[in-house]
Amino acid sequence: MRRTMGNLPPKLHDVAHEPGLVVPAADGSALLSDHYFPLAAGDFPTVLVRSPYGRGFPWAPMYGVHLAEQGFHVVLQSCRGSGGSGGEADLWRNEAADGQATVAWLRQQPWFTGVLGTIGASYLGYVQWALALDPPPELRAMVVQVGLHDLHAFFHPGGAFSLETALTSTMGRLSQHQGMKESVRAALRLQRHMGKISRTLPLGEVYAAGLGGRVPYLEEVMAHPDPADPHWHGADAGVAAERLTVPTALITGWHDALLDQTLQQYARLGRAGCDASLLIGPWTHNSAPGGPEALTASLAWLRAHLCDDPADLRESRVRVHVGGRRTWHDLPHWPPPATDRRWYLGSGGTLRDRAPEDTAAPLSFRYDPADPTPSVGGPLLSPKAGSRDNTALEARDDVLTFTTAPLTEPLDVIGPVRAELRVTTDTGHADVFARLCDVDDRGRSVNVCDGLRRLHLTEDGPAEVTVDMSATAHRFAAGHLIRLQISGGAHPRFARNTGTGEPLTTATRLQPSEISLHHPSALALPLADADFDARGPAH
């Protein structure tokens, strides 16, 4: 397993393994757990990892073996209904209670010293927030890697259904705990059917072929797009961060599908006065947790707070990778001081610092859900994630582009990005997808960050619409151009807007939409202060 990971630090201890231990949940369900521990005399703190994706690869080498070699007891547990554990699998309703029951079991183990940490990626981060809703006194540290706290926002970001992410994550949840062979088989099946799923209605029926059958919880997710719906009661564990005192390390990537949730967690922890660190790299959701920077930061955080050994802990609490420069930057907090600057959308595809006259003609395009604007790169769960060449996408008639003149000097953008638009649509139902791109001196346009917002417009005149485009730390080099894309979707990353207002699962009709941008509409970028370079280049 060490050879599989490849970038683990030298081991300090040989490791032993107790597989298949039974941890009783509060309702008596058996939660199967593997115990990894150092073969050495002395007391060692414990790290708890809870997963619905099985206890094998990659969790066993990345957490079990690696951390036990470094001097920790590690309990790697399968969530209920997965990996041989009893009980019914559920998206969220049992995680807090099952986490507490596991801590109660730990208290009975002769090797447990009363010093506990947690670690995990993606949904393995969600279970940490669930435990932190009522943190046990033994909990001394958390490491949340590309983690989520809000399940509604995971499935319905910006109000649109995150189709590709929902199918990919559901496929993993259904198959990965059954072993590598079944996981690969399920991934290939979804890949074979994705084209048909993305072209065929109603979505509530056609999706099943890609997952080997109907999935009730996914149908419930699709049928309840409103975050205020009682269906989602208790699904957002992020309230834990508002009062947490447990030191927490957050790790994400600029192209992580859960970047926004991680930044929300950091902001909440900051308001609570909790000791928190933030590491953002040039990573996707899949590449971030196992990278050497993430592994080093995670281990340093656990050693500092569980072993009273802060020797390897970064002095600065925030470290971000600056795209375009390919350098790391240390910061005292996120976001750092910045000055908002607006570039206004103009005729002829221009981006300028002065707004056109209000009487200038609106800028319009036609979105046809029968030929939806495709998604290219960005924050996905698949290998297609990340920065990609947008040239072919921008050649489509349903994608408007607005571009600055070549920059005369470098421009550092750091912080949340947004598009401030005045929008009308003839159907009242439309999506607005906005993407920031860096265009180099060869004309290659590469995506930096983006966002989508689903609209239900009823007023006659233009609606004031802000599209939050996530956040970035990126340098636009001298001679490069800043570009803003505006389109009506990014399919199949987001389920296409049918234009009819029909419910997602049962919609059968497609209605093209005319979407118009009225003046003044603008791209708002946070520009780094003049002392950005002096304040924090990382070495």
Side-chain angles (χ1 to χ4, degrees):
M1 286 189 292
R2 285 186 55 79
R3 287 195 299 270
T4 301
M5 295 303 294
N7 53 8
L8 298 179
K11 67 178 182 180
L12 303 180
H13 305 283
D14 289 330
V15 170
H17 175 217
E18 292 182 287
L21 301 178
V22 175
V23 177
D27 65 354
S29 298
L31 304 177
L32 294 191
S33 306
D34 295 344
H35 175 211
Y36 297 82
F37 56 95
L39 281 173
D43 293 332
F44 300 98
T46 299
V47 177
L48 174 63
V49 184
R50 303 189 61 248
S51 165
Y53 303 116
R55 305 187 303 281
F57 183 84
W59 322 119
M62 187 163 65
Y63 300 135
V65 174
H66 163 51
L67 293 177
E69 287 180 342
Q70 299 303 312
F72 299 90
H73 288 277
V74 182
V75 174
L76 178 51
Q77 181 179 94
S78 288
C79 294
R80 65 171 55 223
S82 71
S85 288
E88 291 287 332
D90 197 293
L91 268 183
W92 70 83
R93 293 182 177 86
N94 298 300
E95 303 302 2
D98 287 352
Q100 295 289 346
T102 303
V103 175
W105 176 84
L106 285 172
R107 293 180 183 126
Q108 300 171 5
Q109 307 313 304
W111 42 264
F112 184 61
T113 64
V115 178
L116 176 66
T118 59
I119 193 171
S122 196
Y123 191 85
L124 285 67
Y126 182 84
V127 299
Q128 295 182 69
W129 291 115
L131 180 63
L133 288 168
D134 183 18
E138 296 90 347
L139 185 59
R140 308 286 180 84
M142 295 167 47
V143 179
V144 181
Q145 304 166 327
V146 293
L148 75 159
H149 61 268
D150 184 349
L151 282 156
H152 176 272
F154 174 75
F155 287 108
H156 298 276
F161 183 59
S162 188
L163 175 60
E164 188 172 7
T165 290
L167 293 176
T168 302
S169 63
T170 301
M171 176 272 296
R173 190 179 180 96
L174 295 176
S175 64
Q176 192 171 342
H177 69 96
Q178 299 182 50
M180 184 63 69
K181 183 178 179 180
E182 175 59 25
S183 183
V184 171
R185 189 174 75 87
L188 293 174
R189 179 179 57 215
L190 179 58
Q191 185 178 16
R192 287 196 309 271
H193 289 276
M194 182 62 83
K196 183 178 180 180
I197 293 171
S198 64
R199 295 190 304 267
T200 311
L201 296 176
L203 183 58
E205 295 179 9
V206 71
Y207 85 90
L211 297 176
R214 304 189 77 93
V215 183
Y217 84 73
L218 183 60
E219 295 183 10
E220 288 289 307
V221 162
M222 288 192 282
H224 296 90
D226 184 355
D229 191 296
H231 172 78
W232 296 104
H233 179 71
D236 184 354
V239 65
E242 296 178 357
R243 55 178 182 266
L244 194 65
T245 59
V246 177
T248 302
L250 303 174
I251 297 171
T252 185
W254 291 123
H255 295 286
D256 173 23
L258 297 172
L259 168 64
D260 290 343
Q261 294 211 30
T262 300
L263 296 179
Q264 292 167 14
Q265 294 158 17
Y266 181 77
R268 286 177 167 180
L269 292 169
R271 290 192 293 269
C274 183
D275 184 9
S277 71
L278 177 64
L279 176 66
I280 312 177
W283 307 313
T284 66
H285 185 77
N286 295 336
S287 67
E293 296 90 350
L295 287 170
T296 298
S298 299
L299 180 59
W301 193 261
L302 293 174
R303 280 180 171 157
H305 298 287
L306 303 186
C307 308
D308 296 321
D309 178 13
D312 297 326
L313 199 62
R314 295 194 315 266
E315 182 177 346
S316 175
R317 282 295 184 256
V318 177
R319 174 169 286 187
V320 301
H321 188 271
V322 181
R325 302 180 62 173
R326 299 182 182 179
T327 59
W328 290 91
H329 224 73
D330 286 335
L331 302 168
H333 53 78
W334 177 267
T339 302
D340 265 359
R341 180 174 170 185
R342 286 169 178 78
W343 279 264
Y344 292 90
L345 286 58
S347 60
T350 60
L351 267 183
R352 296 175 176 167
D353 56 6
R354 297 182 65 179
E357 297 292 333
D358 291 347
T359 55
L363 309 161
S364 302
F365 64 96
R366 183 176 186 267
Y367 175 78
D368 184 357
D371 180 24
T373 315
S375 53
V376 176
L380 305 170
L381 298 187
S382 75
K384 298 181 293 183
S387 296
R388 294 290 185 270
D389 187 345
N390 283 238
T391 303
L393 176 66
E394 293 173 352
R396 289 177 59 103
D397 292 338
D398 56 0
V399 179
L400 299 184
T401 60
F402 303 90
T403 311
T404 65
L407 299 175
T408 58
E409 59 184 20
L411 201 66
D412 287 319
V413 176
I414 185 159
V417 176
R418 64 189 184 277
E420 300 171 346
L421 309 175
R422 302 181 71 232
V423 182
T424 57
T425 177
D426 57 351
T427 64
H429 302 286
D431 293 344
V432 176
F433 179 75
R435 166 169 277 184
L436 176 66
C437 290
D438 184 342
V439 184
D440 65 20
D441 51 11
R442 296 172 296 169
R444 184 172 183 263
S445 178
V446 173
N447 52 294
V448 176
C449 61
D450 57 47
L452 179 141
R453 183 166 171 186
R454 177 148 292 189
L455 308 180
H456 304 282
L457 304 181
T458 57
E459 58 261 50
D460 294 331
E464 307 284 342
V465 175
T466 297
V467 182
D468 293 318
M469 300 163 62
S470 195
T472 190
H474 186 85
R475 166 166 284 193
F476 291 85
H480 283 211
L481 298 82
I482 299 171
R483 177 168 293 167
L484 173 67
Q485 291 179 18
I486 299 292
S487 65
H491 189 69
R493 176 177 159 192
F494 300 100
R496 55 188 165 174
N497 194 316
T498 62
T500 66
E502 295 176 285
L504 173 70
T505 55
T506 57
T508 57
R509 296 183 298 115
L510 299 174
Q511 174 65 50
S513 301
E514 186 83 8
I515 301 171
S516 298
L517 306 177
H518 299 257
H519 304 290
S521 291
L523 167 67
L525 297 180
L527 302 188
D529 285 0
D531 65 342
F532 176 64
D533 277 330
R535 190 168 52 235
H539 300 287

